[in-house]
Amino acid sequence: MIRFAFAGLAANKVRSALTMLGVLIGVASVILLLAVGNGSSTAVKNSITALGTNSLTVTSGSGGGARTSSTVKKLTVDDARALANPAAAPDIKSVAPVVTTTATADYGNISYTPGSVIGTYPAYFETANQKIASGDYFSADDVLNSAKVAVIGSTTAQQLFDTENPVGKTISLGGTPLTVVGVLQTKGATGFTDPDDVVIAPLPTVQNAFTGFGSVNQILVQATSADTTTQAQSEITQILMGTHSLTDPTKLDFRVSNQTSLLSTRESTSQTFTVLLGAVAAISLLVGGIGITNIMLVTVTERTREIGIRKALGAPKAVILGQFLTESTLLSVFGAGLGVAAGIIGSHFSVVGIKPVVIPSSVFGAFGIAVAIGLFFGSYPANRAASLRPIDALRHE
Amino acid sequence: MARRARAKRSAGSAVAEAAEPAVQQVPPPVIQVRRLTKSYGHGDATVHALCGPWDPQTDEPLGVSLDIEPGDFVAVMGSSGSGKSTLMNILGCLDVPTAGRYLLDGIDVGHLDESQLSLVRNRKIGFIFQSFNLVPRTSALAQVELPLAYAGVRAAERRKRALAALALVGLSERADHKPNELSGGQQQRVAVARALVTAPAMLLADEPTGNLDSRSTEEVLAIIDGLNATGRTVVLITHEDEVAAHAKRVIRLVDGQVTSDVRQGPAGGPPPVLARQLAAAQAQQAQQTGALIGGRS
Ligand SMILES: Nc1ncnc2c1ncn2[C@@H]1O[C@H](COP(=O)(O)OP(=O)(O)OP(=O)(O)O)[C@@H](O)[C@H]1O
Ligand SMILES: [Mg+2]
């Protein structure tokens, strides 16, 4: 029977090949597009873990009500000091006040403006999951002494020093000479901002040179573990309500945000993206299936006389049905098989900066659906052919 | 498989029942047609392809009734559009009548379901078409193997029997040829081989020589004569008197009615043309023997 089916397909090579191509594209696009979607959400997940799941950010400002009140107090280093009290906040591991600014850095005759200049405490590195690649972090002593040192991101290092080793060199940041003590590991861009394009210096050094000793932009807090972030969050709220002398928890002049919650929004966005891609792919798979139906209808119509002859020779309905079903199944199995191969090969190339990650279930799913479509859509014309009365089939022109 | 077996069994018992009353006398007819009608279309546009005599009172067709004995060789003649093919298609279980009963080997074909019908077509009937109706792009051997494949015969056995059938029609050396590589006469001989390979009791041929020249016609008819001589029932449609001369019985149809039914030879025994040839050969042999005897004396 399979031999008959092969002969039937071989009789019309171009047509069979085109039909298979339709299924191939459908299956390959399902696998590939889902892999791209999956790849992007994997990238987001990785950046969540890279950021540290137990970090909390305190920023000044508030929602709605408090904006009009005159009691808005900026965050200060004193606030940070209050949070660093282990008696009042047992779930807080470390605290780092952060000021950000921008300034142009000069080294030799190269001038470059990094994405941001950050002034902070050494605890920042651990909380923000910034690891050193060469050299060392600046120390607590450097902070106390307002030492003129800096740690720079890999992008900044590349821009200013190119292939030179930056450690020990002195750059001029907005006129202030800073000695580079360390270069950070590359984190990789996760969005529009490049986290590697930074200069990080001790807080008083930056305050002294740029921002002044007033408020800080944010306070980065690390909870003792990922499980205690919620407690840490309420402790922060309690303490800061005290230092800002607030009584109404609905009218706060600061905001505590969880990095994980920020990123989970982005993760759900990328999931929507995946679903959308999947839908597009599913449609192309369906179109491939309709292609099979179409071809089977044409084949059956073309071969109606032959069906009549076979029936006149005593071919049972099941045999004729089987022959056409075998043909359409062969078409879809081959098409889907090649589609799986194409999809897996295609997923080795990165698409618009996203490294696709093949979902194994999508491979089996797409293959299975393609074969099922072949059977389902092939069975209609096959059944129509097999049900003909021999004389009607023989008279068919 | 179970279904096939059941169909076969029920067929067998039906034959036994039908055979019971007439067991002592002549064998029961292989084909019994009772008040068979076939019409196409509705209302005023109705075409009565098969109608038989008309009932004078009701003005309704009474239908065609016909018995064909086993081993008979029947030629159906009549002008174009007289309903010959219509009758033949019903006899071959390729079409269903509008009304009336058709008993094949005593079984009412109207009561069979689709799978039993395909079994009847496969086992009992060999059909030869005017237009050959070979399966395209299929070698002569595979062509002849087809009915055996549908009967579930194993590959080796199938091949052996198909080659034997091709040898019988004189096409052994053309076994690998596709239909488009064969002449019309050769194609029709392949079709004959395909019809006889399952050794059916009945051979139905709708103008088997209609598309052939006189030489090919003689070849095909010689094969059909031979099959009839071995006991196969043959029903054949033709327009030519020379072809009809091979038959033991000639039925003429006019406008869906049987108008004449002439017997040219006994239902048993060899068909007339073959009988004459045999007689001639025997006479010649006798003459030769006589000459030999005369020469000796
Ligand atoms: N499928 C059909 N639909 C409508 N009318 C039909 C159909 N088949 C046959 N007929 C009509 O039935 C009548 C008998 O046709 P049939 O084919 O039996 O003729 P025939 O005796 O075999 O003629 P020929 O010698 O030309 O083959 C014709 O009038 C024909 O027009
Ligand atoms: Mg005809």
Side-chain angles (χ1 to χ4, degrees):
Chain A
M1 189 136 85
I2 296 204
R3 208 154 42 89
F4 272 133
F6 266 118
L9 293 180
N12 251 307
K13 291 193 186 67
V14 176
R15 188 199 285 169
S16 306
L18 284 176
T19 315
M20 265 197 260
L21 189 68
V23 180
L24 187 156
I25 290 172
V27 170
S29 62
V30 165
I31 293 173
L32 203 55
L33 293 184
L34 286 180
V36 167
N38 187 39
S40 80
S41 68
T42 309
V44 170
K45 265 196 215 111
N46 287 343
S47 68
I48 291 175
T49 37
L51 207 94
T53 43
N54 50 354
S55 73
L56 294 162
T57 312
V58 185
T59 47
S60 166
S62 65
R67 194 170 296 154
T68 49
S69 87
S70 55
T71 59
V72 173
K73 275 182 77 179
K74 301 273 181 156
L75 293 171
T76 60
V77 178
D78 288 334
D79 288 332
R81 226 165 264 144
L83 292 176
N85 176 1
D91 294 310
I92 290 174
K93 190 179 169 195
S94 65
V95 177
V98 175
V99 292
T100 45
T101 184
T102 50
T104 304
D106 294 289
Y107 175 73
N109 53 2
I110 302 165
S111 181
Y112 174 70
T113 308
S116 58
V117 173
I118 294 172
T120 187
Y121 287 178
Y124 174 87
F125 295 108
E126 195 195 336
T127 312
N129 206 16
Q130 294 275 26
K131 297 204 172 56
I132 208 86
S134 64
D136 203 354
Y137 304 108
F138 54 77
S139 64
D141 280 346
D142 293 329
V143 175
L144 286 174
N145 301 333
S146 300
K148 294 201 167 20
V149 291
V151 172
I152 58 176
S154 58
T155 306
T156 314
Q158 158 81 28
Q159 292 290 341
L160 283 174
F161 297 96
D162 198 14
T163 55
E164 228 179 305
N165 183 8
V167 179
K169 304 282 174 350
T170 300
I171 59 168
S172 163
L173 189 68
T176 311
L178 295 175
T179 308
V180 177
V181 293
V183 179
L184 295 169
Q185 281 180 4
T186 306
K187 284 187 114 178
T190 51
F192 300 106
T193 55
D194 182 357
D196 300 319
D197 194 12
V198 287
V199 173
I200 304 172
L203 178 69
T205 313
V206 177
Q207 283 179 319
N208 195 13
F210 305 103
T211 60
F213 290 91
S215 60
V216 297
N217 295 78
Q218 52 175 225
I219 301 171
L220 213 56
V221 178
Q222 188 179 23
T224 47
S225 77
D227 301 327
T228 55
T229 45
T230 323
Q231 286 101 296
Q233 195 161 353
S234 60
E235 283 161 17
I236 293 166
T237 312
Q238 284 300 324
I239 292 165
L240 291 187
M241 275 171 72
T243 57
H244 288 202
S245 27
L246 297 168
T247 45
D248 188 353
T250 61
K251 287 180 180 165
L252 300 177
D253 58 2
F254 60 90
R255 204 162 37 203
V256 185
S257 57
N258 191 329
Q259 293 288 358
T260 328
S261 70
L262 275 177
L263 281 162
S264 67
T265 324
R266 271 183 51 198
E267 196 192 350
S268 73
T269 314
S270 86
Q271 259 159 7
T272 318
F273 179 61
T274 310
V275 169
L276 215 71
L277 288 177
V280 170
I283 288 170
S284 68
L285 192 57
L286 188 73
V287 171
I290 292 170
I292 295 184
T293 322
N294 197 14
I295 291 311
M296 290 320 288
L297 269 175
V298 170
T299 311
V300 165
T301 313
E302 210 180 60
R303 289 166 62 189
T304 307
R305 247 182 94 83
E306 183 191 324
I307 292 166
I309 298 169
R310 289 175 184 274
K311 292 205 86 171
L313 295 179
K317 182 175 167 175
V319 170
I320 291 175
L321 201 66
Q323 186 188 338
F324 283 94
L325 275 186
T326 313
E327 270 186 35
S328 60
T329 310
L330 274 180
L331 270 183
S332 53
V333 165
F334 272 94
L338 291 173
V340 166
I344 289 175
I345 290 168
S347 68
H348 281 79
F349 304 97
S350 61
V351 183
V352 287
I354 300 165
K355 178 95 191 65
V357 179
V358 174
I359 313 170
S361 63
S362 81
V363 174
F364 296 114
F367 186 85
I369 288 171
V371 174
I373 281 179
L375 270 177
F376 181 78
F377 285 104
S379 68
Y380 163 67
N383 198 40
R384 218 177 60 156
S387 304
L388 285 173
R389 210 183 286 159
I391 195 68
D392 295 332
L394 280 170
R395 286 228 186 89
H396 186 89
E397 287 307 317
Chain B
M1 222 52 222
R3 195 168 185 163
R4 281 190 181 179
R6 202 182 55 223
K8 213 171 173 181
R9 222 181 304 125
S10 69
S13 60
V15 171
E17 279 162 32
E20 225 75 80
V23 82
Q24 250 75 46
Q25 302 103 4
V26 281
V30 61
I31 288 172
Q32 285 174 288
V33 164
R34 293 287 171 271
R35 306 193 55 168
L36 202 71
T37 63
K38 177 77 186 176
S39 45
Y40 298 103
H42 305 278
D44 290 343
T46 308
V47 176
H48 293 280
L50 268 186
C51 53
W54 293 81
D55 190 329
Q57 269 115 51
T58 58
D59 201 31
E60 288 285 311
L62 286 171
V64 173
S65 296
L66 197 68
D67 280 357
I68 296 175
E69 287 147 48
D72 209 349
F73 187 162
V74 182
V76 180
M77 299 190 75
S79 59
S80 186
S82 56
K84 306 182 295 293
S85 294
T86 306
L87 175 66
M88 193 64 116
N89 291 335
I90 293 171
L91 293 186
C93 295
L94 303 180
D95 205 352
V96 290
T98 307
R101 298 203 324 147
Y102 167 33
L103 283 82
L104 176 63
D105 266 349
I107 316 156
D108 192 334
V109 169
H111 294 327
L112 299 182
D113 67 21
E114 175 65 31
S115 68
Q116 291 170 321
L117 273 178
S118 59
L119 205 69
V120 167
R121 287 180 206 124
N122 187 242
R123 301 286 163 82
K124 298 203 183 229
I125 300 165
F127 209 104
I128 303 166
F129 300 90
Q130 176 177 0
S131 49
F132 318 142
N133 275 343
L134 297 183
V135 179
R137 300 183 300 270
T138 308
S139 75
L141 183 65
Q143 202 88 239
V144 179
E145 280 188 22
L146 266 186
L148 295 175
Y150 295 140
V153 177
R154 268 201 247 114
E157 167 81 2
R158 212 155 68 195
R159 204 182 145 78
K160 205 180 78 193
R161 281 169 67 177
L163 281 172
L166 280 174
L168 193 68
V169 297
L171 283 175
S172 298
E173 72 284 6
R174 293 274 191 277
D176 297 329
H177 289 227
K178 307 262 167 72
N180 56 353
E181 300 159 355
L182 292 170
S183 77
Q186 288 167 337
Q187 286 186 52
Q188 191 62 301
R189 281 190 283 159
V190 172
V192 173
R194 191 178 65 181
L196 63 84
V197 74
T198 52
M202 207 164 75
L203 204 66
L204 303 178
D206 190 347
E207 302 193 41
T209 59
N211 285 338
L212 304 183
D213 68 0
S214 56
R215 218 184 101 75
S216 301
T217 298
E218 281 311 317
E219 284 172 357
V220 168
L221 282 175
I223 297 164
I224 293 177
D225 274 349
L227 289 171
N228 180 245
T230 62
R232 305 267 150 76
T233 313
V234 176
V235 183
L236 166 150
I237 294 177
T238 186
H239 284 288
E240 296 160 75
D241 291 328
E242 303 89 78
V243 176
H246 285 253
K248 299 171 186 167
R249 180 182 173 192
V250 178
I251 294 173
R252 281 179 193 279
L253 282 181
V254 174
D255 289 340
Q257 297 187 41
V258 177
T259 52
S260 85
D261 190 344
V262 181
R263 182 155 287 287
Q264 305 185 140
V273 174
L274 197 63
R276 245 174 280 135
Q277 283 170 353
L278 283 173
Q282 267 166 4
Q284 204 181 2
Q285 213 174 12
Q287 218 171 35
Q288 277 173 353
T289 349
L292 265 171
I293 294 163
R296 205 192 271 166
S297 65

